[in-house]
């Protein structure tokens, strides 16, 4: 069962990925939602103004108290916990999706977070990354210089951070063999004018989607790129939005 969320309270669900049904929710209203994930307690969605919503079926939603008012940008589930990153250094953690703790790491916005083999890693502005290996109770801050990381994913022991047009890799992913021991971070340029707005890994394949700007507008040319190893990419032509 699939759930997608978006601007102005939009929620869609699908049982097969082809046919989607809009699921309007009075509880969510017009709250812009940035991310959704499925975990042990069901679907959890996060968005503007610190809003968190929980649903057992992706249709009926209940608001939860996050304890923050900053925008929440990405939610993941791993190691038995929901983890969220957002603006103003927000790093939220919850085991049940209801009770949330903010392990704040400063004032910068963090746009993305990923589940690693031993914890979590998040990325944000000005080259900052945070990493946790204790269940997101505390975070180690790492700075890589003048970069604006938008997305991060972890595959095996390798980590892929996306800075609009470029990819920064920690580790050596070689499908379908086990990943090698992580090495020094290196940059891989995708050689395209399409900015990465989101990235995913599945079926031994990396996929990025994006537009020429930081968001896609009606009439924009969207861009989809695929890769088997996260470093060598090919563009897939998609219609105008």
């Amino acid at each position: 069962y699939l759930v997608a969320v978006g601007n102005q309270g939009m929620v869609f669900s699908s049982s097969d990925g082809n046919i989607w049904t809009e699921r309007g929710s009075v509880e969510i209203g017009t709250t812009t939602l940035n991310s959704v994930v499925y975990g042990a307690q069901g679907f959890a969605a996060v968005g503007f103004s610190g809003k968190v919503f929980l649903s057992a079926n992706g249709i009926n939603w209940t608001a939860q108290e996050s304890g923050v008012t900053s925008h929440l940008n990405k939610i993941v589930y791993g190691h038995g916990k929901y983890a969220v990153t957002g603006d103003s250094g927000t790093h939220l953690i919850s085991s049940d999706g209801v009770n949330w703790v903010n392990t704040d790491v400063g004032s910068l916005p963090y746009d993305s977070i990923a589940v690693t083999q031993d914890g979590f890693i998040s990325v944000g502005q000005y080259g900052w990354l945070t990493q946790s290996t204790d269940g997101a109770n505390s975070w180690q801050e790492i700075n890589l210089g003048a970069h604006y990381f938008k997305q991060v994913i972890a595959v095996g022991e390798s980590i892929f951070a996306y800075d609009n047009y470029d990819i920064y890799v920690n580790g050596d992913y070689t499908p379908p063999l086990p990943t090698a021991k992580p090495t020094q971070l290196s940059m891989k340029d995708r050689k395209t004018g399409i900015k990465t707005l989101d990235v995913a890994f599945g079926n031994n394949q990396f996929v990025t989607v994006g537009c020429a700007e930081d968001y896609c507008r009606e009439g924009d040319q969207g861009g989809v790129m695929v890769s088997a190893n996260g470093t060598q990419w090919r563009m897939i032509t998609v219609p105008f939005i």
Side-chain angles (χ1 to χ4, degrees):
Y1 197 73
L2 304 174
V3 173
V5 299
N7 291 341
Q8 298 295 308
M10 289 189 299
V11 178
F12 294 86
S13 65
S14 173
S15 60
D16 59 8
N18 294 313
I19 300 175
W20 292 82
T21 303
E22 186 172 0
R23 305 290 186 181
S25 169
V26 174
E27 188 78 8
I28 295 175
T30 59
T31 299
T32 290
L33 300 175
N34 293 324
S35 182
V36 63
V37 72
Y38 184 81
Q41 303 302 316
F43 294 97
V46 299
F48 281 13
S49 304
K51 299 297 185 181
V52 177
F53 301 92
L54 199 63
S55 173
N57 55 15
I59 300 174
N60 303 306
W61 297 83
T62 57
Q64 309 299 324
E65 179 57 54
S66 70
V68 301
T69 57
S70 56
H71 292 347
L72 304 179
N73 299 322
K74 187 67 176 285
I75 182 170
V76 295
Y77 183 84
H79 306 293
K81 294 182 178 180
Y82 295 92
V84 179
T85 52
D87 292 353
S88 303
T90 300
H91 284 59
L92 296 176
I93 192 75
S94 175
S95 297
D96 57 12
V98 176
N99 301 291
W100 294 87
V101 175
N102 182 21
T103 51
D104 196 294
V105 294
S107 60
L108 295 178
Y110 285 83
D111 287 345
S112 185
I113 183 171
V115 180
T116 64
Q117 288 188 333
D118 57 358
F120 303 91
I121 186 169
S122 71
V123 296
Q125 290 187 8
Y126 304 109
W128 284 101
L129 294 80
T130 61
Q131 189 169 11
S132 175
T133 57
D134 63 358
N137 293 309
S138 63
W139 297 84
Q140 176 191 5
E141 295 180 81
I142 305 167
N143 186 261
L144 298 178
H147 307 291
Y148 186 171
F149 293 114
K150 303 289 290 185
Q151 297 290 336
V152 63
I153 60 173
V155 182
E157 294 182 358
S158 298
I159 296 170
F160 299 79
Y162 294 77
D163 175 8
N164 283 329
Y165 307 116
D166 300 325
I167 304 167
Y168 295 77
V169 184
N170 187 322
D172 185 15
Y173 175 74
T174 307
L177 301 175
T179 56
K181 189 68 176 177
T183 56
Q184 182 66 30
L185 197 73
S186 59
M187 185 186 77
K188 303 295 182 181
D189 191 346
R190 292 183 306 146
K191 306 296 185 183
T192 175
I194 301 297
K195 291 186 177 181
T196 296
L197 300 183
D198 206 355
V199 60
F201 178 85
N203 295 327
N204 292 322
Q205 184 169 254
F206 298 83
V207 180
T208 69
V209 295
C211 290
E213 302 298 333
D214 290 331
Y215 55 90
C216 294
R217 297 166 296 188
E218 184 176 355
D220 284 352
Q221 176 69 58
V224 177
M225 300 192 74
V226 297
S227 171
N229 59 14
T231 59
Q232 296 170 308
W233 294 83
R234 65 183 177 89
M235 179 75 77
I236 295 178
T237 303
V238 296
F240 285 91
I241 299 171

